[in-house]
Amino acid sequence: MAIHNFGMSELARFAEEGYLRLGRVASEEHLQAMRDRIDDIMLGNVRYEGMPMQRDTDTGEYGELPTRTFEESEETLTYRRIDDLQLDPLFLGYMQHPFFREVTEALVGPNVSIFRAMFMNKPAEHGTHLPWHQDVGIGWGLDANPETTVWTALDAATVENGCMEVVVGSHKHGVINEMHFPSEADQARYAREEDCIYLEAEAGEAILLNNLLLHRSARNPSCNPRRAFSIAYMDASTRAVNTGETFPVIFGEGALTGGELIDGAQTKGALAESTLNNGS
């Protein structure tokens, strides 16, 4: 299992380009378990109370996406997005991998929470076009913008199946538009074609992203799904502006427990019957 080193040279490259390939972090066993688990969640074989789920569009237009629903939903593999995956022991175990603790301690500090832990899906011959945007802004309702996201390919991500496209170095411009999406004029200024690259990734590869980095992705006309897991890490002192509440702690004082970290034969934690309901 190849895990990227994370030292001064990696920090410097990340600061310059706004992204960094971290290599393969999950064991093959854990990666397959996460694939199977997210399919079970979509199909209703595993359910978590209050877990937000969002169906994909029929047209592929971002503006036509339905709102996320919390109630028991349709059993289908065509969900676009599922949030709050820290509720699942397998995904929580991956989020708390010792390598991610090393990375977040260098970039965030010793006490780390998450703004979101979400599954993103571009089903085969489906998927929604996601326009240029930054993962920051007043619309997030936080008293400080998160700057660190770890994005992991659950399947191979290619140009053909709608991999991410990023504008290298665009994080240096700061918040371009507080409402998430830059204007056409700002896109012409900040998303120049010569600065754009496709972030193709092998299954299991993790990529570190600065939340200010401009990125987008296309639909998936191929016969191969493009599933991914995205974790936005931030300082544990970050609060919601409207409520003053903090967010789930991943590392440091008060961190969540019960995650399964599968690495060869070593397993930490177990599925909690009070949290997880199997069946139907």
Side-chain angles (χ1 to χ4, degrees):
M1 180 170 56
I3 295 179
H4 202 295
N5 293 323
F6 196 78
M8 295 301 294
S9 61
E10 286 76 27
L11 278 169
R13 190 181 315 142
F14 181 60
E16 177 64 24
E17 299 184 344
Y19 78 97
L20 181 71
R21 293 184 181 274
L22 298 176
R24 178 73 169 269
V25 176
S27 67
E28 180 57 41
E29 183 183 4
H30 200 161
L31 179 64
Q32 186 58 53
M34 288 193 292
R35 290 191 196 109
D36 293 341
R37 180 61 53 78
I38 201 64
D39 283 355
D40 276 338
I41 290 172
M42 287 192 283
L43 292 174
N45 298 324
V46 174
R47 299 185 187 277
Y48 294 96
E49 184 178 355
M51 180 173 278
M53 304 174 73
Q54 182 186 51
R55 286 293 307 273
D56 211 340
T57 64
D58 293 326
T59 63
E61 295 299 323
Y62 183 84
E64 297 180 13
L65 283 170
T67 57
R68 278 168 280 170
T69 179
F70 295 85
E71 68 268 13
E72 191 169 303
S73 303
E74 184 180 350
E75 298 168 3
T76 174
L77 293 176
T78 62
Y79 281 101
R80 171 185 178 266
R81 172 174 172 170
I82 298 174
D83 287 80
D84 288 352
L85 283 171
Q86 74 277 2
L87 297 175
D88 183 89
L90 276 170
F91 284 95
L92 176 60
Y94 182 70
M95 294 161 64
Q96 293 180 320
H97 194 286
F99 182 57
F100 295 148
R101 178 158 197 160
E102 178 186 348
V103 171
T104 56
E105 189 160 13
L107 294 171
V108 179
N111 297 307
V112 179
S113 64
I114 52 162
F115 174 66
R116 63 187 184 189
M118 66 177 182
F119 166 68
M120 294 295 291
N121 188 26
K122 291 186 184 290
E125 300 177 344
H126 218 74
T128 296
H129 169 70
L130 187 57
W132 286 119
H133 66 286
Q134 298 173 299
D135 286 338
V136 295
I138 196 171
W140 280 32
L142 303 176
D143 62 6
N145 280 318
E147 294 185 2
T148 304
T149 288
V150 173
W151 183 96
T152 301
L154 299 182
D155 306 302
T158 66
V159 173
E160 290 73 25
N161 70 3
C163 72
M164 270 192 296
E165 187 178 7
V166 303
V167 184
V168 179
S170 55
H171 62 297
K172 297 178 183 178
H173 301 300
V175 178
I176 295 172
N177 188 321
E178 285 284 359
M179 299 312 295
H180 204 49
F181 297 100
S183 65
E184 289 187 7
D186 282 337
Q187 290 180 44
R189 180 180 180 185
Y190 297 117
R192 299 181 304 172
E193 184 175 350
E194 59 266 32
D195 297 325
C196 301
I197 65 167
Y198 288 103
L199 276 187
E200 293 189 303
E202 297 178 358
E205 183 178 1
I207 300 176
L208 183 67
L209 300 168
N210 187 303
N211 283 36
L212 290 161
L213 191 72
L214 278 169
H215 58 289
R216 68 178 178 181
S217 60
R219 297 196 73 190
N220 177 12
S222 79
C223 60
N224 299 310
R226 198 224 74 177
R227 296 170 293 179
F229 180 39
S230 179
I231 315 156
Y233 294 102
M234 61 189 184
D235 192 282
S237 65
T238 306
R239 294 180 179 274
V241 173
N242 290 341
T243 66
E245 294 179 349
T246 55
F247 292 80
V249 178
I250 299 300
F251 298 122
E253 185 176 356
L256 298 174
T257 60
E260 290 186 64
L261 180 58
I262 300 175
D263 190 1
Q266 187 174 9
T267 302
K268 172 188 175 184
L271 293 177
E273 292 296 335
S274 60
T275 307
L276 174 63
N277 294 314
N278 290 303
S280 62

